[in-house]
Amino acid sequence: MGTRRIREEGLRVSSTTEQTRRTAPPQRPGDRVFGGLSLGAALLILATLAGVAIFLTVQGIPGITASPEEVKYDTTFLRYVGPLVFGTLWAAALALVLAAPVAIGVALFISHYAPRRLAQPIGYVIDLLAAVPSVVYGAWGMVTLAAAIQPVYLWLEEHLGFIPLFAGPASATGRTILTAALVLAIMILPIMTAICREIFLQTPRLHEEAALALGATRWEMTRMAVFPYARSGIVSAAMLALGRALGETMAVAMVLSASGVISLNLISSTNPSTIAANIAHSFKEASGLTVNGLIATGLVLFVITFAVNFAARAIVDRRKEFSGAN
Amino acid sequence: MTTTLTRPAPSELGADLRGRRLPTWGPTTVWSLAAATAVVGLLTPVGLARGLVLAWFVAALVPAWSFVVEGRRKATDRVVTHLVASAFVLALIPLVSILVAVVGKGSSALSAEFFSYSMRNVVGEGGGIYHGIIGTLLITAAASVISVPIGLFTAIYLIEYGDDSRLASSIRFLVDVMTGIPSIVAGLFAYALFVLFFGEGVRMGVGGSVALSVLMIPVVVRSCEEMLKLVPNELREASYALGVPKWRTIAKVVLPTALAGIVTGITLAIARVIGETAPLLIIAGMTDSVNFNLFDGRMQTLPVFTYSALMNPGVPAEPSIERAWGAALVLLLIVMALNLVARLVSHFFSPQGER
Amino acid sequence: MNRKSMRTLAATAASSALLFGLAACGAGNESAEADDASDSSLSGTLNGGGASSQESAVGAWKQGFQTANPDVTVNYDPVGSGGGREQFIAGGLSFAGSDAYLEEEELTAAKERCGSDVVSVPVYVSPIAVIYNLDGVEDLQLDAATIGAIFEGKVTTWDDQAIADLNPDADLPDTKITPVHRADDSGTTKNFTDYLTAASGGTWSGGVVETWPVKGGEAADGTSGLVSAVKGGQGTIGYADASQAGDLGQVKVKVGEEFVAPTEEAAAKVLDTAEAEAGRAATDIALKIDRKTDAAGVYPVVLVSYQIACQKYEDAEEAELVKSWLTYVAGADGQKASEEAAGSAPLSESFSAKVQTAIDTIG
């Protein structure tokens, strides 16, 4: 149906184009509605976020100001949340360091290395894994992974014990912060892989072919054509993954043997806890101001995410010129 | 593993230009050897773990060999190929292990009764997860109905309307922040919100959808934005040049072009939230009976079912734990079906391009 | 264009058919029951929530209660004791399950919510077993002082003199002891530390707490997490509901001069030695368990879990539901059901009668 109307619209438009900017499209009532909808959706997100922030602040502040006698954790809020903040950042950073190279590698494998017939089912399987409930990751990590990796911790303690990270004593059950970080890494792997893969696939074919035609090897082509194009996307994917790692609750709560200490030791059974896991652990039996204190730790997590994203934004300037093929 | 990792195909014609090369059968043979090592490791007392490490070293012979024959640049390329492939195998190990655990422990629970019964009045053996399937489908569907339009329109705003305006970049930033909301906080937020309207003790499925939406929207926005960004500007400009209004350009040119990616993104977002436990426990509660009404009363969902059956199995524990893994498997199957539908959608509705 | 809209149409039709197909039928086991003839006049939905320790017992009670009253649906959200009490006080739940009785402050608030006294009755008594995983050692016997020292980290190997003295016949290895405690706050931890504080004679210094007080050591989430952690390591020791211990070793605890295993019978006897907390309404049965008892055959490491309700409800039907529910739960049938499904210790007849008197005041 469309062609005739488009032609008419085109004719009408031609008289007005000179007044508008070169790239600006013609404006229509439909445009206003559509633009309004888009803006409305964006503002709704702002409202939601503001709602969450207000909720956290209003509920959290009584917890922050509560005196040690009024809450179950018997200490000031700052002392309480300090080790948790450390644990949250430590676990998420470990997870990201473990997952990011693998995710990029897998995405690259699917998009540029594996034969097409193999690549599709592999991508499919990995998408699936994003859906495994965190409870199942937790149960798997607690039973299968921890048992499988415990001998490795013993070995690390014996041979690399002089490094503070592996000082030990090695956990008897293998449920350490490194195991938790591994589980987190596995959990964020599918989401990061999937996004990276889509982005790698979108690299303009012409760029790739040009690089190859100039005699680049496949790696050189990847480095020169694919990565620059995909950089902002990779960072986004990493941020999404980091967000999940920071906020993951159930899996960490189940896997980690958490004690609420500050320790860099990766293999002992005395580990720092994370904010989210601590909320899951303490929330059920909490009442009164303790609940407010726990919600305040949620607020702290919120602020951390804020800060991490801010830092990432500052480090990577989002390069708009790679949008589109111009 | 098949290992014809050659895109673009090497042409014999250019062989002289490129200098000495490994014989075509070279890498393939070494890789087959490495695969054989891993299989031998699996079958003999050596163990799969050591077998895989050995296989890795065997496969590493390819770049070494290449360095001798082809020189540094080609060798670097092969090192990267080796690393990328090993990243893949490395990622596959835990993923396969989880799948094996879920399928292995869950498949014995599946039966006609398991799909058609609820847990009402069931203690010990028997019973099913019909109520959980209904709850999960309804709550997740409602969450998608809320999140997808909001997320997609926000992404459109960010890419097509906002450009680099301050509002757009702050929204972009805040969406990133939103990804960091812990799921339990989303649940508490939704609960607090619903208490405002319905009073204390409110439990309804749609509350779960709202909580899930809080978690889902940022994922939808983020992935849709990335996909829209990748639509070449030439297409938009061509459309404008034909005098097509902007909204029609977006609806008819930009969205269809990015459809495959958008669908993947939405599927991912659904997959991200369909397995959530904590927020649903708070606001959707749990029940043993089927409830079709999103707006009234408690609703059981599969993850909550899995969690409670796993953590408080009762005596004897086995039937309950078996049901838990069965429910996890069914959840996986649902996502698999969802993925399949998404693939079909993008296959049929995407414009046929070069990809 | 045409082909596309056809496809859209087909897809929409197919998906809506799927949805309605699902929506059309209820669960196979639910539709059948509605036809059952029953003389029960009760109907409606009863919502409770709280302690997850009670969850499997509540599962059994629900079955019994709903079978007798087919038009009733009972829901129980295992959100934890604290959450249950909080929401009960806020008026969100008809009854709460809690591993602890209401504290002064909560009691005042709860009375305000009810406009009457609170009915709080112990309905679920479960022995907490001290479980261990140590190859070649069965029938381990320990006293409270040694258990306290182990969990405090003072006794660190299995061949320690303190353990050897209590187990002259056992062949104890020099394996390191890994004590496993709950990572989450729980009523089980509270009852266990209550026992240690009262009976250990000072080797346990952590006090009576829901949150494990010692920094360090192995921590695990929930009862099943703890059990699987104990199973997963060698030389591990922990504490969990006896019913969930599976084939792990269970320590016999020294009471008086003998060693008592964590059985239902031994746990049930605890209630008879327990005293009611003073200064509370007659309907608010708050038990002070005598952890130091040396009465024969009593197992003092138990978890006592309560159900809390109001005497008065605005809605008479709700009051009727709560009353019948609690009557069933505390009665012989209910206690038998939870014994079978959750391994809890049934309330003795005399105690049950006392509880019933409190329940009768509802309405």
Side-chain angles (χ1 to χ4, degrees):
Chain A
M1 55 146 199
T3 37
R4 212 177 123 219
R5 203 189 319 152
I6 289 177
R7 211 175 297 143
E8 284 173 8
E9 282 166 351
L11 284 173
R12 254 181 281 144
V13 165
S14 58
S15 58
T16 56
T17 28
E18 279 166 31
Q19 290 138 18
T20 51
R21 279 188 294 127
R22 195 174 53 84
T23 50
Q27 281 283 334
R28 284 303 143 84
D31 265 339
R32 246 163 269 145
V33 173
F34 207 76
L37 272 178
S38 311
L39 185 61
L43 292 178
L44 193 62
I45 289 191
L46 284 190
T48 312
L49 201 69
V52 174
I54 290 170
F55 162 74
L56 286 173
T57 316
V58 168
Q59 297 272 311
I61 280 179
I64 296 177
T65 53
S67 69
E69 296 83 48
E70 291 171 305
V71 288
K72 220 156 102 186
Y73 40 81
D74 289 335
T75 172
T76 59
F77 179 74
L78 279 182
R79 287 235 183 101
Y80 180 59
V81 83
L84 297 174
V85 169
F86 168 79
T88 307
L89 292 176
W90 182 226
L94 281 173
L96 195 64
V97 165
L98 290 169
V102 178
I104 294 173
V106 174
L108 208 54
F109 184 78
I110 295 173
S111 66
H112 284 79
Y113 282 73
R116 244 174 129 42
R117 217 176 301 154
L118 194 65
Q120 284 229 325
I122 293 169
Y124 188 61
V125 169
I126 290 187
D127 281 359
L128 254 191
L129 279 148
V132 177
S134 40
V135 177
V136 171
Y137 277 111
W140 174 82
M142 178 170 94
V143 179
T144 314
L145 180 64
I149 209 163
Q150 199 265 342
V152 179
Y153 292 159
L154 280 180
W155 186 90
L156 283 174
E157 183 197 5
E158 206 172 306
H159 295 91
L160 296 173
F162 56 89
I163 305 174
L165 291 180
F166 305 120
S171 157
T173 56
R175 296 165 56 258
T176 75
I177 188 112
L178 187 55
T179 314
L182 272 171
V183 171
L184 280 179
I186 295 164
M187 290 180 79
I188 61 180
L189 191 67
I191 206 160
M192 213 178 148
T193 305
I195 298 175
C196 287
R197 177 193 68 206
E198 289 301 321
I199 292 160
F200 290 160
L201 280 173
Q202 299 279 1
T203 314
R205 202 52 183 273
L206 284 173
H207 291 196
E208 295 178 18
E209 280 164 5
L212 290 171
L214 288 171
T217 61
R218 185 157 47 181
W219 162 238
E220 286 159 349
M221 178 273 283
T222 310
R223 218 184 42 193
M224 293 185 304
V226 180
F227 280 168
Y229 186 77
R231 206 173 74 166
S232 100
I234 293 176
V235 173
S236 292
M239 283 299 111
L240 258 185
L242 189 66
R244 179 154 199 203
L246 284 171
E248 177 52 45
T249 312
M250 286 299 181
V252 178
M254 286 168 85
V255 172
L256 186 63
S257 160
S259 292
V261 295
I262 295 186
S263 152
L264 285 176
N265 195 333
L266 290 178
I267 60 169
S268 93
S269 58
T270 308
N271 299 292
S273 185
T274 71
I275 290 177
N278 181 64
I279 293 179
H281 279 153
S282 314
F283 200 81
K284 352 183 237 180
E285 303 302 324
S287 56
L289 278 172
T290 315
V291 173
N292 296 108
L294 289 173
I295 291 178
T297 62
L299 179 64
V300 172
L301 180 56
F302 196 70
V303 174
I304 291 178
T305 323
F306 206 88
V308 166
N309 276 297
F310 200 76
R313 200 43 70 78
I315 294 166
V316 184
D317 124 60
R318 297 170 63 85
R319 301 170 71 173
K320 194 104 204 304
E321 61 264 37
F322 283 107
S323 169
N326 42 345
Chain B
M1 202 192 300
T2 43
T3 39
T4 35
L5 304 177
T6 40
R7 197 197 87 164
S11 79
E12 292 301 320
L13 204 69
D16 289 337
L17 265 175
R18 294 177 194 161
R20 279 163 29 95
R21 312 191 63 223
L22 290 186
T24 340
W25 51 265
T28 321
T29 317
V30 178
W31 286 327
S32 315
L33 218 67
T37 318
V39 172
V40 168
L42 176 65
L43 299 178
T44 56
V46 178
L48 183 60
R50 275 182 214 151
L52 282 172
V53 173
L54 278 179
W56 191 83
F57 281 111
V58 172
L61 287 175
V62 175
W65 184 10
S66 158
F67 186 76
V68 176
V69 178
E70 297 176 328
R72 196 185 52 80
R73 272 183 65 220
K74 286 281 166 56
T76 314
D77 184 42
R78 294 207 189 265
V79 166
V80 174
T81 307
H82 179 60
L83 289 180
V84 164
S86 32
F88 172 69
V89 174
L90 190 70
L92 225 51
I93 296 169
L95 302 185
V96 167
S97 168
I98 290 172
L99 281 186
V100 166
V102 174
V103 174
K105 292 180 185 172
S107 54
S108 57
L110 304 188
S111 66
E113 187 185 322
F114 192 64
F115 286 105
S116 59
Y117 274 37
S118 69
M119 286 301 290
R120 190 180 165 90
N121 294 353
V122 175
V123 169
E125 281 184 53
I129 53 163
Y130 182 64
H131 57 319
I133 297 177
I134 296 295
T136 288
L137 289 181
L138 288 178
I139 290 180
T140 316
S144 312
V145 167
I146 300 171
S147 315
V148 171
I150 296 181
L152 191 55
F153 271 111
T154 306
I156 291 173
Y157 173 77
L158 291 178
I159 295 296
E160 307 291 339
Y161 291 95
D163 283 334
D164 279 336
S165 74
R166 188 173 282 178
L167 180 63
S169 50
S170 54
I171 285 176
R172 223 172 251 137
F173 173 63
L174 291 172
V175 165
D176 280 350
V177 172
M178 211 169 157
T179 60
I181 296 177
S183 50
I184 196 161
V185 169
L188 292 172
F189 168 69
Y191 183 73
L193 188 71
F194 274 67
V195 164
L196 285 183
F197 297 110
F198 299 97
E200 272 299 333
V202 58
R203 296 282 193 290
M204 52 173 80
V206 75
S209 306
V210 169
L212 293 188
S213 299
V214 172
L215 301 169
M216 191 173 167
I217 287 173
V219 186
V220 176
V221 176
R222 239 40 209 96
S223 44
C224 289
E225 193 199 342
E226 288 305 328
M227 298 313 148
L228 291 180
K229 208 191 273 175
L230 294 174
V231 174
N233 271 340
E234 283 92 335
L235 285 183
R236 294 188 184 96
E237 280 155 11
S239 175
Y240 296 155
L242 290 170
V244 180
K246 187 165 186 174
W247 72 276
R248 283 183 69 91
T249 305
I250 295 169
K252 294 284 177 186
V253 177
V254 178
L255 288 182
T257 311
L259 187 71
I262 290 174
V263 169
T264 308
I266 291 171
T267 320
L268 258 177
I270 294 178
R272 161 80 177 78
V273 297
I274 202 171
E276 276 300 340
T277 316
L280 292 178
L281 188 59
I282 292 172
I283 175 78
M286 61 180 294
T287 173
D288 292 340
S289 314
V290 180
N291 177 8
F292 287 106
N293 190 349
L294 272 172
F295 297 92
D296 181 38
R298 290 163 167 74
M299 255 183 161
Q300 181 69 294
T301 51
L302 290 175
V304 172
F305 178 86
T306 307
Y307 182 70
S308 99
L310 212 57
M311 296 313 269
N312 295 300
V315 187
E318 286 75 25
S320 176
I321 288 173
E322 192 185 36
R323 279 196 297 266
W325 286 101
L329 177 59
V330 170
L331 192 60
L332 214 63
L333 292 175
I334 290 177
V335 175
M336 208 149 102
L338 199 74
N339 255 312
L340 205 68
V341 171
R343 303 253 146 170
L344 289 177
V345 167
S346 52
H347 180 76
F348 281 117
F349 293 104
S350 291
Q352 303 302 313
E354 49 171 338
R355 289 208 296 124
Chain C
M1 197 73 218
N2 243 337
R3 268 187 31 228
K4 219 173 207 179
S5 40
M6 281 290 281
R7 275 200 212 106
T8 324
L9 204 70
T12 322
S15 52
S16 41
L18 192 74
L19 224 106
F20 283 112
L22 279 173
C25 51
N29 53 333
E30 285 182 31
S31 45
E33 292 156 359
D35 305 332
D36 282 350
S38 161
D39 46 3
S40 159
S41 59
L42 289 174
S43 69
T45 305
L46 178 61
N47 292 323
S52 51
S53 57
Q54 288 186 33
E55 193 185 353
S56 33
V58 170
W61 292 330
K62 274 196 284 198
Q63 184 211 19
F65 192 65
Q66 290 177 161
T67 311
N69 310 286
D71 293 332
V72 177
T73 298
V74 182
N75 294 314
Y76 185 81
D77 300 334
V79 289
S81 303
R85 291 199 299 267
E86 195 122 294
Q87 290 190 18
F88 171 75
I89 290 168
L93 298 171
S94 299
F95 73 92
S98 170
D99 291 340
Y101 46 77
L102 293 170
E103 285 163 28
E104 271 325 304
E105 232 170 88
E106 291 173 319
L107 195 58
T108 324
K111 279 180 181 165
E112 206 166 295
R113 179 240 150 143
C114 294
S116 65
D117 267 332
V118 172
V119 176
S120 167
V121 289
V123 291
Y124 176 80
V125 180
S126 169
I128 301 171
V130 180
I131 51 177
Y132 65 96
N133 187 11
L134 186 63
D135 282 347
V137 180
E138 284 164 27
D139 297 325
L140 194 69
Q141 311 185 123
L142 295 174
D143 59 10
T146 318
I147 297 175
I150 289 174
F151 277 95
E152 184 122 338
K154 302 250 168 57
V155 172
T156 55
T157 56
W158 281 103
D159 57 359
D160 192 281
Q161 197 55 43
I163 302 178
D165 286 345
L166 292 164
N167 299 278
D169 303 331
D171 181 22
L172 295 164
D174 62 353
T175 317
K176 229 176 66 190
I177 300 181
T178 307
V180 186
H181 60 85
R182 287 282 286 270
D184 52 334
D185 293 2
S186 72
T188 311
T189 302
K190 190 171 185 180
N191 279 280
F192 183 64
T193 50
D194 185 26
Y195 163 72
L196 290 182
T197 305
S200 72
T203 59
W204 171 255
S205 59
V208 187
V209 286
E210 281 174 356
T211 317
W212 192 253
V214 185
K215 298 256 184 238
E218 184 86 17
D221 186 37
T223 300
S224 51
L226 191 141
V227 170
S228 91
V230 171
K231 264 188 201 147
Q234 186 55 228
T236 44
I237 185 165
Y239 54 94
D241 273 14
S243 60
Q244 296 302 324
D247 46 11
L248 286 169
Q250 301 184 17
V251 171
K252 280 186 182 161
V253 172
K254 190 170 187 188
V255 178
E257 283 313 304
E258 54 179 339
F259 291 92
V260 184
T263 59
E264 290 151 23
E265 299 81 49
K269 285 183 191 157
V270 161
L271 290 187
D272 299 329
T273 64
E275 285 170 36
E277 200 83 53
R280 292 192 163 233
T283 55
D284 182 3
I285 304 175
L287 291 178
K288 213 159 84 185
I289 294 159
D290 184 10
R291 307 283 187 187
K292 277 160 84 174
T293 182
D294 43 18
V298 176
Y299 186 78
V301 199
V302 294
L303 166 78
V304 177
S305 196
Y306 299 78
Q307 285 196 357
I308 303 168
C310 288
Q311 268 183 331
K312 290 207 173 66
Y313 289 88
E314 274 170 29
D315 180 4
E317 226 168 84
E318 190 183 355
E320 195 55 36
L321 269 176
V322 173
K323 189 175 177 181
S324 337
W325 163 256
L326 284 178
T327 305
Y328 169 77
V329 164
D333 288 347
Q335 289 296 311
K336 188 152 181 288
S338 62
E339 182 184 0
E340 275 163 19
S344 66
L347 302 177
S348 68
E349 241 168 78
S350 58
F351 195 82
S352 191
K354 202 164 116 193
V355 168
Q356 189 57 49
T357 328
I359 296 169
D360 285 338
T361 63
I362 300 176

